[in-house]
Amino acid sequence: MINRILLGLFFCGCGLTASAENGSNLWLRQEPSCQATVVCDITSPVIDVARKELASLWKGGEVILRISADREHYGLGDEGYTIRSAGNDIILESSAEKGLLYAAYHLLRLQAEGNDCKNLNISESPLYEYRILNHWDNIDGTVERGYAGKSLWKWEELPSVISPAYEKYARANASIGINGTVLNNVNASIEILSDKYLDKVKALSDIFRPYGIKVYLSVNFASPMKLGGLDTADPMDEKVAEWWKRKVHEIYSLIPDFGGFLVKANSEGQPGPCDYGRTHAQGANMLASALKPYGGIVMWRAFVYSPTDDDRAKQAYLEFKPLDGKFLDNVIVQVKNGPIDFQPREPYSPLFGSMPHTPLMVEFQITQEYLGHSNHLAYLAPMWKEFYEYVSPYSIKAVAGVANIGDDVNWCGHDFAQSNWYAFGRLAWNPELSSSQIAREWLMQTFTDESEFLNPVEEMMLESREAVVDYMMPLGLHHIFAWNHHYGPEPWCEIPGARADWLPSYYHCADREGIGFDRTTTGSDAVSQYPDSLAAVFNSLSSCPEEFLLWFHHVSWDHKLKSGNTLWDELCYKYQTGVEKAQEFCEVWNQMSDYVDSERYQAIANRLKIQADDAVWWKDACLEYFRTFSRMKYPSGVDKPVFRLKELKKVKLPISNYECPSEDILPRK
Ligand code: GCW
């Protein structure tokens, strides 16, 4: 007994002072109590983490960690577990160590939410084997589409200096079940595979391993040339395949549990197999063969489109569907949730369901490239759940999320953006969880469990993404963003010589008659990429869900919608609703100062104010511009414009695609 207590004290974090309320503790904010006795006869890096967490934070009686004798432990797999109460004690059981780690975090989450943990009888296992964050971090410290400071990875200091943030990052991920991380941008630098950088990658993977997290790398397909000095990167060339084999061997000799590669090939200027007349499958398979002996995988992205074809929304399908069944079994084709590019709302990508002989994984974007960066509150679980309404979670193999994490003190810029990191992990573990349950869990752990706070704030979260859709691009509008940075509106944008499919007019197609992209059978025919029954629904103006109306149809301004309003009036009302919602969020938050520490309260209030002002900018820019085509009046109940179109056309934000704009450069009255 004495030994056990000593063990508990030894691992406990008591004596550490809680840090300031600046958001740096994420949802992991329980104070150490150091009263638990943890019984486990195994010592290993993973078990030690579980033991340390429980010894420090668990406030109940004895916790027993047990590796089950039956290898599968009720068919729950290596990461699954059971949690059972036995009197005052709790027994955590799994067939493997990682399962015990997840069980420990589950138990602690129940405690943090104030549950009575007396009669627990829980069995859990993740739906997906691969639950992966994709960092778009560059080795120069910038983060593509990152709005929370610089990269967390301090490449210049690694491997000798190890920031304490790395372990905190691993812990946060493990607590929500994320088990893999791609460290670098899909627009991949060549150097990441150099000896120098692989030593740095090894240092990170050593820190992540005890938290059950594998490291993956994005690779540049031309690496054999630029790094290896070969004269080609043709996947059918033996020298090239040999070069990759050697490189992979080198990686595994440093990192024995390395996860594999993520590849963006022949997309937006990146090199790839098509440069040599080869297919995506040939390229992916060459890498997969090199990784296969070590158990590594290739995640090959299907985000491809060229400036030549008629409809960008069709292109990934046209290029990848014919390759169904041609990939080796350790390749997973990674497809963005929608056919274009992480817009506030898109229908699902028709590739899902169209490649029955190829494992597919969905790529969600956690970072808010198109949803107000880290200035706007947009809780994304409802958007991801919407995807699963069309695509069965059981039909796909894995999940990836483009991370919203940087070196900002609160990790994600906006305190509420932490909820998207959290929700991604929870849904990757169990896509059946509801948006509401996840929001509540997160709020209780991050702020307080008082219902006067929880009820209104949860509701605000649940409404937030729809509000963004309403004030940015309602009724199926998409990609009418400002050039390059994707923050504000620029539906009028014309850049001489620019690719047509990078310009808003390509997508909104506004003219005197109406607005919207005709993707029906008489238009670009993108509808026909969906299963027949759904294609018929999307194809008809009367049955197409109105949230996708202008995605699939070019609709006349005076067309009557279900509400009885004309399209023009409805568009006006949607923008108005978005503006009102954003204003309402400020009011809801203003009532919450008693429940939240002043630092986070104020930071959130400031950002909600920016959001509400931006919503007006969006409404005015879009409605004033589209009115030049519709030549119709604003219906009653819609606010008069605050800005004039002429003024808004002059707005140019001096920011790159690595930044979140500060208040002082945004258009304000
Ligand atoms: O969403 C777009 C972004 C690019 C990004 C690309 C991709 C990493 O605007 O910044 O590049 O998609 O997903 O590859």
Side-chain angles (χ1 to χ4, degrees):
M1 190 61 188
I2 287 174
N3 275 346
R4 285 178 185 171
I5 292 169
L6 282 179
L7 200 65
L9 288 176
F10 176 73
F11 283 108
C12 147
C14 291
L16 296 175
T17 44
S19 51
E21 297 287 2
N22 52 16
S24 61
N25 292 327
L26 294 162
W27 50 88
L28 296 163
R29 301 158 49 78
Q30 300 190 66
E31 292 291 335
S33 67
C34 305
Q35 67 185 57
T37 307
V38 182
V39 182
C40 181
D41 50 16
I42 311 166
T43 304
S44 81
V46 173
I47 293 292
D48 288 350
V49 171
R51 183 188 278 127
K52 180 172 142 191
E53 294 282 19
L54 291 165
S56 160
L57 299 173
W58 179 242
K59 299 191 175 73
E62 196 164 272
V63 189
I64 301 156
L65 308 187
R66 215 182 262 161
I67 296 285
S68 178
D70 76 286
R71 270 196 56 235
E72 260 287 293
H73 192 58
Y74 308 132
L76 298 172
D78 278 2
E79 295 181 309
Y81 52 83
T82 52
I83 303 180
R84 278 177 297 126
S85 318
N88 279 336
D89 300 342
I90 307 251
I91 303 168
L92 311 184
E93 208 164 349
S94 172
S95 55
E97 295 176 5
K98 272 178 83 176
L100 291 177
L101 178 68
Y102 293 133
Y105 283 118
H106 188 150
L107 184 63
L108 292 171
R109 180 170 71 240
L110 295 176
Q111 171 176 274
E113 291 165 8
N115 289 292
D116 168 11
C117 297
K118 294 253 165 354
N119 292 304
L120 299 176
N121 188 4
I122 295 170
S123 303
E124 275 272 337
S125 62
L127 179 58
Y128 301 116
E129 181 183 343
Y130 303 101
R131 307 176 299 277
I132 303 186
L133 283 182
N134 289 184
H135 287 267
W136 286 357
D137 292 26
N138 299 313
I139 58 176
D140 68 1
T142 56
V143 181
E144 181 151 354
R145 312 305 179 181
Y147 313 108
K150 293 273 183 158
S151 173
L152 203 56
W153 324 130
K154 302 300 165 205
W155 293 112
E156 67 293 349
E157 301 175 357
L158 281 162
S160 48
V161 180
I162 303 290
S163 155
Y166 303 151
E167 190 171 353
K168 291 187 184 148
Y169 162 88
R171 178 179 184 233
N173 281 326
S175 76
I176 49 175
I178 289 170
N179 67 359
T181 180
V182 182
L183 296 177
N184 61 317
N185 192 353
V186 287
N187 293 328
S189 83
I190 300 289
E191 286 91 315
I192 198 74
L193 291 179
S194 65
D195 297 351
K196 181 172 152 197
Y197 273 86
L198 288 178
D199 281 339
K200 299 169 192 276
V201 172
K202 173 189 162 36
L204 289 174
S205 65
D206 288 343
I207 297 162
F208 300 162
R209 189 170 298 112
Y211 289 87
I213 295 166
K214 279 190 183 182
V215 158
Y216 299 75
L217 291 176
S218 295
V219 296
N220 185 303
F221 203 77
S223 300
M225 297 166 77
K226 298 195 184 143
L227 191 65
L230 301 187
D231 56 6
T232 175
D234 181 349
M236 304 311 275
D237 187 307
E238 266 178 35
K239 294 188 301 293
V240 172
E242 207 33 58
W243 186 88
W244 281 108
K245 272 193 190 141
R246 263 186 284 119
K247 186 49 78 182
V248 166
H249 176 75
E250 196 185 318
I251 297 174
Y252 278 92
S253 48
L254 289 169
I255 308 166
D257 58 350
F258 179 70
F261 294 148
L262 171 63
V263 191
K264 172 176 178 178
N266 294 113
S267 163
E268 299 184 332
Q270 294 299 315
C274 310
D275 301 343
Y276 307 94
R278 312 299 182 188
T279 68
H280 285 278
Q282 288 170 314
N285 291 347
M286 183 267 300
L287 294 177
S289 309
L291 289 157
K292 178 88 179 169
Y294 308 91
I297 60 167
V298 173
M299 293 165 288
W300 191 271
R301 294 176 93 227
F303 178 66
V304 294
Y305 61 100
S306 65
T308 46
D309 278 303
D310 53 346
D311 182 359
R312 173 171 164 187
K314 289 163 64 180
Q315 296 182 24
Y317 178 101
L318 291 175
E319 203 160 332
F320 276 79
K321 185 173 160 50
L323 300 175
D324 186 27
K326 302 228 158 67
F327 293 92
L328 292 181
D329 63 2
N330 60 329
V331 177
I332 310 179
V333 174
Q334 180 167 316
V335 186
K336 289 187 181 183
N337 59 294
I340 295 207
D341 191 12
F342 299 138
Q343 297 302 292
R345 170 166 278 127
E346 293 192 33
Y348 78 92
S349 162
L351 269 174
F352 294 102
S354 301
M355 297 184 67
H357 307 292
T358 307
L360 299 187
M361 64 195 287
V362 62
E363 178 178 318
F364 293 127
Q365 195 178 43
I366 311 171
T367 191
Q368 291 166 233
E369 174 178 358
Y370 295 104
L371 288 100
H373 298 10
S374 57
N375 277 347
H376 293 198
L377 192 170
Y379 172 55
L380 299 177
M383 176 157 101
W384 303 330
K385 293 287 291 182
E386 196 171 288
F387 169 82
Y388 288 125
E389 279 169 27
Y390 287 90
V391 178
S392 163
Y394 301 93
S395 69
I396 58 176
K397 170 91 180 163
V399 198
V402 180
N404 63 349
I405 301 160
D407 70 356
D408 270 6
V409 68
N410 71 359
W411 303 84
C412 303
H414 199 310
D415 285 283
F416 274 82
Q418 296 175 358
S419 69
N420 291 328
W421 177 7
Y422 184 87
F424 171 76
R426 296 290 287 132
L427 281 174
W429 182 277
N430 179 7
E432 306 275 354
L433 293 173
S434 72
S435 300
S436 152
Q437 178 180 339
I438 298 170
R440 199 154 263 257
E441 275 183 11
W442 178 78
L443 284 169
M444 286 200 271
Q445 295 172 80
T446 307
F447 294 103
T448 169
D449 59 4
E450 287 162 288
S451 57
E452 295 81 353
F453 172 85
L454 287 178
N455 295 336
V457 178
E458 180 195 324
E459 184 162 342
M460 168 172 86
M461 288 175 74
L462 292 177
E463 290 180 343
S464 58
R465 180 269 186 149
E466 200 62 37
V468 174
V469 171
D470 283 347
Y471 63 69
M472 286 188 182
M473 351 201 149
L475 297 173
L477 283 175
H478 50 288
H479 229 315
I480 54 176
F481 289 95
W483 182 255
N484 191 31
H485 57 69
H486 299 164
Y487 182 81
E490 218 172 73
W492 50 80
C493 173
E494 291 297 341
I495 305 268
R499 281 172 64 151
D501 58 354
W502 282 354
L503 293 171
S505 56
Y506 175 93
Y507 299 97
H508 64 63
C509 307
D511 57 24
R512 269 301 279 134
E513 305 309 314
I515 183 170
F517 198 126
D518 184 358
R519 297 195 164 102
T520 65
T521 44
T522 51
S524 81
D525 198 27
V527 278
S528 298
Q529 294 182 340
Y530 290 93
D532 290 349
S533 53
L534 193 57
V537 171
F538 288 155
N539 195 51
S540 138
L541 188 56
S542 58
S543 62
C544 182
E546 285 185 356
E547 68 262 31
F548 297 134
L549 197 64
L550 306 180
W551 184 283
F552 287 113
H553 295 267
H554 189 74
V555 183
S556 60
W557 295 111
D558 58 4
H559 174 77
K560 284 262 166 52
L561 300 189
K562 292 191 187 96
S563 59
N565 294 325
T566 62
L567 172 68
W568 169 252
D569 283 1
E570 189 75 6
L571 199 64
C572 293
Y573 287 131
K574 287 282 182 196
Y575 278 103
Q576 177 70 24
T577 307
V579 166
E580 285 170 11
K581 279 283 163 207
Q583 287 162 351
E584 212 177 286
F585 297 161
C586 296
E587 285 154 29
V588 169
W589 192 250
N590 285 343
Q591 309 299 312
M592 296 302 139
S593 58
D594 289 350
Y595 303 98
V596 185
D597 50 278
S598 59
E599 196 172 339
R600 286 187 299 169
Y601 172 79
Q602 203 47 57
I604 292 164
N606 293 346
R607 290 187 198 255
L608 287 171
K609 172 79 171 63
I610 295 180
Q611 179 169 12
D613 290 342
D614 284 347
V616 174
W617 170 28
W618 267 96
K619 165 183 164 291
D620 287 355
C622 297
L623 289 181
E624 284 295 279
Y625 172 68
F626 292 138
R627 204 157 71 90
T628 64
F629 299 97
S630 80
R631 304 201 195 147
M632 291 161 98
K633 288 201 179 111
Y634 289 180
S636 69
V638 173
D639 296 342
K640 290 218 170 61
V642 174
F643 297 99
R644 289 187 324 174
L645 187 57
K646 236 166 93 188
E647 308 174 270
L648 290 179
K649 283 192 171 179
K650 289 195 200 122
V651 174
K652 292 274 172 251
L653 298 186
I655 54 170
S656 70
N657 69 14
Y658 305 122
E659 283 171 278
C660 185
S662 57
E663 168 91 269
D664 50 307
I665 59 165
L666 295 168
R668 294 292 181 256
K669 283 266 160 139

